[in-house]
Amino acid sequence: MATTETLTAERILATTEDVLRRHGAAKATVVDVARALGVSHAAVYRHFRTKAALREAVTKRWLDRTTAELKLVVEDRSVPADERLRGWFAVLFAAKRKKAGDDPELFATYEVLLGENSGVVEEHITDLVGHLRLIVEEGVAQGELTSPVADPELTARAVFDATGRFHDPCYSREWFKPGIDEAFTAVVELTLAALRP
């Protein structure tokens, strides 16, 4: 089953997602990915040297989709800092909930992959905390926010940790329970109140 379409890393990653969705993280193999692409497994290995490298890349791709959406909120400097923070958390919660609700099989698979790829996860969290730090720093500079601690990185990390229930995958079962939207609003508003001058 040969294919005439050019084999690219992006095609491999998209197909890997489909294979993971069908087989789950425990059973999906590089041979399954190659078969779905109509190529040899050696062709896949030319792009990703190991199965672990492929799984790491597909995990990063999945996480980066959320990061790209959030970056748009961070970069919209026409919006006051407290509104950007509120919007950032709303986008993050909506993206996580959408991933968990729209495709529960793939979300469960990614929970396994996230455990395997702690470096990718740490990089993702570093990016997210960096977004928050930037909004807080700009808000402090404009007099719109205050930082309860001198280090903006610590403030950003504290804000991220305080809202963990709404973005950490270990809480995903709670994201669809009655009252979760009200709980989200309460936590975000309390967090913002702590940052107002």
Side-chain angles (χ1 to χ4, degrees), residues 64-78:
D64 284 351
R65 286 186 202 126
T66 303
T67 306
E69 289 179 65
L70 293 167
K71 198 170 181 185
L72 296 173
V73 177
V74 174
E75 293 171 349
D76 186 359
R77 289 175 176 83
S78 68

Side-chain angles (χ1 to χ4, degrees), residues 30-45:
V30 174
V31 172
D32 294 325
V33 173
R35 189 177 299 120
L37 287 163
V39 300
S40 71
H41 66 281
V44 174
Y45 282 127

